[in-house]
Amino acid sequence: QLYQELESIYSIKSYQVPKVRFGRTELLMPVVTCGGMRQQETWQPSPEMTLNDINKECQKNFEKIIDRAMELGINHFETARGYGTS
């Protein structure tokens, strides 16, 4: 039953993720962020790597994820690039 409820929520095009005020600013942030670190082609891309080197199927899937996130009002994308190897 939970699966059916979730499926119906995700199939609703007009659903928007709730937003909250970011710190002391007037910026509104979604309560959910979209993490993208695992969407990379590799953990340590070489300096020579270009967009043409990325697997096309992976890229298409990632674009679908981003499109859906934006539809839901998720506009914060966290890549974790700055975390290093921890």
Side-chain angles (χ1 to χ4, degrees), residues 70-86:
M70 295 295 287
E71 285 175 5
L72 294 171
I74 300 169
N75 59 2
H76 182 260
F77 299 92
E78 206 276 302
T79 63
R81 263 295 195 197
Y83 297 162
T85 58
S86 64

Side-chain angles (χ1 to χ4, degrees), residues 33-72:
T33 189
C34 187
M37 186 168 182
R38 297 265 182 180
Q39 297 297 332
Q40 301 177 117
E41 181 71 18
T42 179
W43 289 101
Q44 294 181 337
S46 70
E48 298 83 31
M49 187 174 191
T50 69
L51 290 176
N52 293 328
D53 298 321
I54 296 173
N55 178 293
K56 302 303 179 213
E57 187 175 328
C58 290
Q59 182 64 26
K60 282 176 146 178
N61 185 52
F62 185 61
E63 289 172 10
K64 286 180 184 179
I65 291 169
I66 298 301
D67 289 345
R68 184 62 176 142
M70 295 295 287
E71 285 175 5
L72 294 171

Side-chain angles (χ1 to χ4, degrees), residues 1-12:
Q1 182 175 339
L2 178 60
Y3 177 78
Q4 290 173 339
E5 289 177 26
L6 289 173
E7 189 176 56
S8 67
I9 288 172
Y10 289 117
S11 66
I12 299 172

Side-chain angles (χ1 to χ4, degrees), residues 6-26:
L6 289 173
E7 189 176 56
S8 67
I9 288 172
Y10 289 117
S11 66
I12 299 172
K13 291 285 185 184
S14 62
Y15 178 80
Q16 290 288 293
V17 169
K19 294 189 171 151
V20 294
R21 188 173 61 134
F22 180 66
R24 296 180 183 171
T25 72
E26 296 301 317

